[in-house]
Amino acid sequence: MKLLSVIVPCYNEEENVRDFYDELCKNTEFFREKQIEFELLYVDDGSKDKTVAEVKKLHGEDERVRLISFSRNFGKEAAIYAGLQKCRGDLAVLMDADLQDPPSLLPEMYGYIEQGYDSVATRRVTRKGEPVIRSFFARMFYRIMNKISRTEIVDGARDYRLMTRKVVDAILSMSEYNRFTKGIFGWVGYETKWLEYENVERRKGETKWSFWKLFMYSIEGIIAFSTVPLTIASVMGVLFCILAFIMIIVTIVRKLMFGDPTSGWPSLVCLIMMVSGVQLFCLGILGQYLSKTYMEVKKRPIYLVKEEID
Ligand code: UDP
Ligand code: MG
């Protein structure tokens, strides 16, 4: 018998907890056929609704349901880390509670593990049901990210991923505080099979990601997996030095030939404004890296557990 750990991060998902369980149990045929036992690990990310109560109710009915409950909202990345840390399976799969990751894909995914892949990942090829602006920025993000980072980050990749113990341990060995999971998956490598599917809309409730939250998340991703912005800052510095040098020459030559070095107050103001803007921008980039480094050296725990039910 093999044990499959199904890890489900939940933040205010009271309506979806039971639906998810029911949907997963529809695959009993497949589990029996392949001799797979499963454990269902709900990671409650500090929900303010009845998520925990719902999971406890399920646990009362089915021993295979487990719960880890955080002391507050730590974010999905922390929930994923906790789930991977606490799971006991030979295989682990990450799934969203809102059924956007269809459990019906599991048999196919498992098939690839049997073929020898270390991990089977999914990406959605459409973004139907999503605001147009959001899709546009998402595409831009992936394009920029893949230009400036050596870690491959696949457009439309979801966190829905089936992996072997080997990959789980590899991910756990990256104990960084700023966890950009999409990048971490790419970074650890291993033989990965990509499955594509059409976007499924969230079953119940609302998405937990506002546009602003996504935007900040994308900045975090860039900072965590690329140092190119720092290089941009240095390159801009050099360019401005060259520009300044040329202007000095021009001014000297003009003085020698026409005797008028001082006209041009407006251009001077514009230049000062622009250069100080660039300086602040570069300082900002530096600040971003510094703040991440600051959080990292503090070595705070990634999450805190309030309650655990096995
Ligand atoms: N989630 C979480 N912590 C958070 C935000 C979200 O654990 O702070 C969970 C959420 O309950 C869901 C999954 O992460 O199971 C994906 O969230 P959501 O569906 O809101 O994101 P989307 O599918 O819109 O990207
Ligand atoms: Mg969702």
Side-chain angles (χ1 to χ4, degrees):
M1 275 299 217
K2 264 195 173 158
L3 182 65
L4 168 70
S5 300
V6 181
I7 298 163
V8 188
C10 299
Y11 179 49
N12 296 342
E13 301 278 9
E14 57 180 7
E15 304 154 293
N16 288 316
V17 166
R18 182 165 293 268
D19 285 11
F20 183 88
Y21 173 79
D22 291 341
E23 201 68 35
L24 185 71
C25 287
K26 281 188 188 150
N27 290 287
T28 41
E29 190 63 38
F30 151 72
F31 288 125
R32 194 163 341 109
E33 203 176 287
K34 298 287 183 190
Q35 298 241 313
I36 296 174
E37 237 353 306
F38 75 84
E39 61 169 5
L40 179 49
L41 184 51
Y42 285 105
V43 186
D44 160 54
D45 186 11
S47 301
K48 293 185 181 68
D49 64 357
K50 300 202 183 65
T51 305
V52 173
E54 283 292 319
V55 177
K56 281 181 180 167
K57 222 189 290 172
L58 269 184
H59 174 76
E61 295 163 24
D62 189 338
E63 284 270 283
R64 295 173 294 184
V65 176
R66 294 171 61 197
L67 167 74
I68 303 169
S69 184
F70 287 177
S71 61
R72 63 166 172 86
N73 181 248
F74 279 89
K76 187 182 178 187
E77 313 292 322
I80 289 176
Y81 186 70
L84 290 175
Q85 225 171 21
K86 305 274 179 178
C87 77
R88 308 195 180 103
D90 311 293
L91 295 166
V93 62
L94 299 170
M95 294 173 90
D96 284 2
D98 56 5
L99 288 166
Q100 275 189 302
D101 303 328
S104 53
L105 272 181
L106 277 176
E108 190 185 350
M109 290 167 91
Y110 186 73
Y112 285 108
I113 295 283
E114 276 184 324
Q115 280 179 28
Y117 283 98
D118 300 303
S119 108
V120 184
T122 57
R123 63 184 284 259
R124 48 180 181 179
V125 278
T126 58
R127 286 177 170 270
K128 110 181 159 232
E130 200 186 56
V132 184
I133 299 187
R134 183 180 281 206
S135 304
F136 171 74
F137 276 101
R139 291 239 164 72
M140 280 250 296
F141 166 73
Y142 285 111
R143 203 173 305 150
I144 294 174
M145 191 70 197
N146 280 312
K147 283 239 166 68
I148 65 175
S149 171
R150 276 162 57 191
T151 305
E152 198 199 359
I153 290 160
V154 177
D155 186 359
R158 299 204 39 98
D159 291 334
Y160 186 16
R161 205 178 256 261
L162 177 64
M163 51 207 147
T164 57
R165 181 43 62 180
K166 195 163 57 179
V167 180
V168 172
D169 289 341
I171 291 168
L172 289 178
S173 73
M174 296 174 78
S175 55
E176 59 211 69
Y177 184 80
N178 297 292
R179 303 192 70 77
F180 184 69
T181 308
K182 284 181 173 52
I184 290 177
F185 286 144
W187 194 91
V188 297
Y190 292 104
E191 207 72 47
T192 304
K193 173 75 188 171
W194 284 93
L195 297 183
E196 296 181 349
Y197 70 97
E198 298 253 323
N199 190 24
V200 183
E201 283 188 51
R202 165 180 264 281
R203 184 73 69 87
K204 287 174 186 162
E206 298 223 313
T207 176
K208 309 295 181 296
W209 293 87
S210 63
F211 184 79
W212 180 246
K213 226 171 148 186
L214 271 180
F215 180 73
M216 293 313 288
Y217 183 61
S218 66
I219 303 268
E220 257 166 47
I222 292 174
I223 304 284
F225 280 90
S226 170
T227 48
V228 168
L230 287 172
T231 317
I232 293 176
S234 327
V235 169
M236 270 208 271
V238 172
L239 283 182
F240 271 89
C241 283
I242 295 173
L243 200 67
F245 186 70
I246 294 172
M247 281 164 79
I248 290 168
I249 304 279
V250 168
T251 312
I252 292 173
V253 169
R254 216 165 59 176
K255 159 74 184 160
L256 292 178
M257 291 174 69
F258 308 105
D260 172 28
T262 49
S263 76
W265 184 83
S267 55
L268 196 64
V269 171
C270 294
L271 268 176
I272 290 174
M273 293 286 271
M274 188 174 92
V275 174
S276 43
V278 170
Q279 272 176 352
L280 282 179
F281 176 69
C282 293
L283 211 60
I285 294 179
L286 211 65
Q288 288 291 330
Y289 282 92
L290 187 65
S291 71
K292 295 295 169 204
T293 313
Y294 179 56
M295 292 314 287
E296 214 63 67
V297 294
K298 281 192 191 198
K299 290 232 177 300
R300 285 182 181 162
I302 294 168
Y303 63 91
L304 290 175
V305 176
K306 183 169 73 185
E307 197 179 358
E308 221 177 316
I309 297 179
D310 265 308

